[in-house]
Amino acid sequence: MTYPQFPPNFLFGTATSAFQIEGSPAADGKGKSIWDVFTHTPGKVRNGENADIACDTYLNSERDLTLMAELGLNAYRFSVSWSRVLPKGRGQVNQRGLDYYRRLVDLLLPRNITPFITLFHWDTPQALQELCGGFAGRDMANYFADYSEVVVKALGDRAKNWITLNEPWEHSAFGHLLGDHAPGHHNPWEYFRAAHYQLLGHGLALERIRAASPDAHVGLTLSLTPIYPSTSNPKDLAAAKVANQFFNDFFLDAVFKGKYPNPLWKQIGIARPKVGADDMKIISRPIDFLGVNYYSREFARAAWYVPFLRAWVDEVQVNDREQIINGQQYTNFGREVYAPAFYETLIHLKNEYGNPRMYITENGASFTDVLENGKVHDPLRIAFLESYMEAAAQAIRDGVNLHGYFIWSLMDNFEWREGFSKRFGLVYVDHATQERIIKDSGYWVAEMIRTQGCVK
Ligand code: GCO
């Protein structure tokens, strides 16, 4: 069997996030986050599940680091729980919270696993949600910069790779517009404010991180979902253009070009956030790398009745079953498996945004995993990884400045509103017993890493 081949020193990692794996929501002085509140609000999470235990990594991280080493992984992306470090989101530091992350880094380094640390992966401290409306309030940008400085001052002597934000689009859209995520709001005005103030927080944090750790390597992670037109009708082409700006270019253009894209910016009119005189200059401060989270493409068509966008993005019904639609494989999360669109996205970043240094900070798929005689045979996930990683390898051969790939995820974890119903892990987790079992896809990744450079 041949495996995708990557350049020497390429990083092979997995990604997780604090709320999805740590559990221990109140241990050692941790403050509440909006996700602690949201998951304990009836009707918000599937099957009424919550992440109070999740993968229990706050109480026991070592077993998972041993698994990473067993798989031959040389990088690990995880996030810091803001309210574990600053229980009220600002002010008094909780040293025991900081010490947990220091121990985690100190366990990674001797295993030659490079930490990539995300500072905000959606778990706003509840105290700041109440104080300023979370990222829908402008003050949050400064609180985020203050928090970032606290963490980097504590860990910057041993951890060098920092990701300010994870997917500002998702936190704004699901949390402030669609209401599916914490804080569960449905407010277009809040959506655009949360998008802008997250980016402002990113820009402010950049400067503070670099001051705290001059050799830090800092970026942010954007989810990129290319939007294709549903038909070649000019109206659908125009709708796809605006939808692409809403999902992707709003963030890419702000960070790399210091402006918001038209026609979207013009179309959102009264919903526009107040942009301060220096905001765009702060937001577009140069970054050391771009984190790309990629899952699938979507399709849009003209829809006059959709406010601001006048475009409708067709969603495949999530029905918990992987399915073939029009000859195309879909995951049990309704996400199309189509690697060419991933390749095109990477080429687009190369051609339109100056080919920045990039890492794939998330890519993976959920399929129905069945534990049978102590094994999990997941051929669909292997096929997914084979096609997407080969697309990334081809993009590198075609000049894309890509230096690492973090698979989502190391292990089956708490999938937000879906609870534990969607398994993305290379490692199967029995959340009742916390037993871990490496899936066939985990062994495939290990063999792929082992055979790097072996193909002549
Ligand atoms: C995201 C988040 C992850 C998800 C993953 C699977 O990209 O939505 O960063 O927390 O769990 O993408 O949906």
Side-chain angles (χ1 to χ4, degrees):
M1 168 179 269
T2 56
Y3 293 91
Q5 291 297 303
F6 293 89
N9 307 318
F10 193 78
L11 292 181
F12 293 102
T14 55
T16 62
S17 85
F19 188 80
Q20 294 177 271
I21 66 169
E22 288 182 357
S24 302
D28 297 338
K30 173 181 171 293
K32 269 188 196 291
S33 77
I34 58 174
W35 270 97
D36 293 317
V37 174
F38 194 76
T39 51
H40 285 277
T41 306
K44 298 298 185 187
V45 176
R46 211 166 153 153
N47 308 325
E49 293 177 321
N50 62 59
D52 289 357
I53 298 175
C55 301
D56 206 26
T57 60
Y58 182 75
L59 296 180
N60 181 345
S61 292
E62 196 130 14
R63 66 186 149 193
D64 299 317
L65 306 186
T66 304
L67 282 169
M68 288 178 216
E70 192 178 332
L71 296 179
L73 298 163
N74 59 15
Y76 178 47
R77 176 185 174 226
F78 62 92
S79 78
V80 172
S81 162
W82 185 340
S83 59
R84 212 180 276 285
V85 170
L86 291 167
K88 294 290 179 210
R90 59 184 182 144
Q92 182 64 37
V93 172
N94 176 27
Q95 193 56 47
R96 289 176 297 177
L98 264 184
D99 289 347
Y100 166 71
Y101 295 106
R102 188 197 306 273
R103 280 197 306 277
L104 182 53
V105 172
D106 287 348
L107 287 169
L108 286 165
L109 296 178
R111 291 172 167 86
N112 296 318
I113 298 174
T114 303
F116 272 62
I117 304 179
T118 307
L119 289 158
F120 181 69
H121 200 126
W122 306 350
D123 45 358
T124 298
Q126 179 62 20
L128 294 182
Q129 187 66 37
E130 292 165 8
L131 178 70
C132 66
F135 272 112
R138 188 179 176 92
D139 291 348
M140 188 71 169
N142 289 297
Y143 295 139
F144 176 64
D146 294 342
Y147 150 69
S148 299
E149 184 177 20
V150 165
V151 176
V152 176
K153 274 187 172 166
L155 301 180
D157 61 331
R158 54 197 77 183
K160 302 297 178 190
N161 302 286
W162 297 94
I163 294 168
T164 53
L165 304 175
N166 174 73
E167 299 192 350
W169 182 88
E170 266 76 5
H171 179 60
S172 308
F174 293 137
H176 293 270
L177 182 62
L178 303 172
D180 295 351
H181 281 194
H185 296 175
H186 303 262
N187 181 328
W189 280 259
E190 267 197 28
Y191 166 81
F192 287 106
R193 290 206 307 268
H196 180 67
Y197 295 144
Q198 283 183 87
L199 289 171
L200 183 60
H202 154 76
L204 291 170
L206 260 181
E207 196 177 43
R208 308 280 281 281
I209 292 169
R210 290 189 170 129
S213 175
D215 57 349
H217 188 66
V218 201
L220 80 167
T221 277
L222 298 178
S223 57
L224 297 180
T225 305
I227 307 296
Y228 287 58
S230 296
T231 74
S232 56
N233 176 317
K235 287 194 173 128
D236 291 341
L237 295 177
K241 178 177 178 177
V242 172
N244 254 309
Q245 291 184 356
F246 177 69
F247 276 77
N248 308 304
D249 305 358
F250 183 91
F251 301 93
L252 287 167
D253 285 20
V255 169
F256 288 106
K257 299 178 181 175
K259 63 179 182 57
Y260 289 124
N262 279 314
L264 175 67
W265 186 245
K266 214 175 278 147
Q267 276 182 213
I268 65 175
I270 51 168
R272 283 187 211 150
K274 278 194 182 50
V275 177
D278 295 335
D279 287 6
M280 300 316 288
K281 196 161 78 209
I282 293 167
I283 290 171
S284 58
R285 283 171 175 158
I287 52 177
D288 297 309
F289 65 88
L290 173 67
V292 174
N293 283 6
Y294 185 94
Y295 286 92
S296 64
R297 64 176 174 172
E298 304 276 1
F299 292 85
R301 53 191 160 79
W304 58 269
Y305 46 86
V306 177
F308 306 118
L309 297 189
R310 293 198 285 284
W312 179 258
V313 176
D314 295 319
E315 286 278 306
V316 171
Q317 195 50 41
V318 176
N319 58 14
D320 287 357
R321 273 185 306 104
E322 36 274 19
Q323 45 189 327
I324 307 271
I325 302 173
N326 301 330
Q328 208 52 49
Q329 178 72 54
Y330 281 73
T331 73
N332 67 4
F333 215 158
R335 291 172 178 172
E336 184 194 30
V337 178
Y338 183 67
F342 178 45
Y343 170 84
E344 288 304 329
T345 297
L346 297 177
I347 296 297
H348 179 69
L349 290 167
K350 170 175 171 285
N351 296 339
E352 296 302 319
Y353 291 97
N355 201 18
R357 184 179 180 88
M358 284 178 253
Y359 296 91
I360 305 303
T361 39
E362 280 180 36
N363 173 249
S366 60
F367 293 107
T368 308
D369 292 329
V370 178
L371 182 59
E372 253 171 341
N373 308 321
K375 299 250 184 257
V376 177
H377 303 302
D378 54 343
L380 289 176
R381 187 171 289 105
I382 291 173
F384 175 95
L385 289 171
E386 209 160 31
S387 63
Y388 277 76
M389 296 195 89
E390 180 49 38
Q394 184 57 51
I396 293 170
R397 291 192 289 269
D398 294 343
V400 168
N401 192 11
L402 182 65
H403 297 268
Y405 204 113
F406 294 81
I407 295 166
W408 185 274
S409 178
L410 170 67
M411 58 188 143
D412 299 333
N413 57 55
F414 183 79
E415 181 52 34
W416 309 109
R417 68 176 176 275
E418 294 292 321
F420 295 103
S421 70
K422 301 292 177 293
R423 292 179 176 272
F424 280 87
L426 297 177
V427 175
Y428 183 94
V429 177
D430 176 335
H431 292 101
T433 66
Q434 290 300 324
E435 187 187 7
R436 273 87 163 133
I437 293 159
I438 297 175
K439 301 176 190 174
D440 289 0
S441 58
Y443 291 115
W444 180 89
V445 167
E447 188 60 11
M448 183 272 297
I449 294 171
R450 200 186 61 74
T451 57
Q452 286 305 303
C454 297
V455 176
K456 295 293 169 238

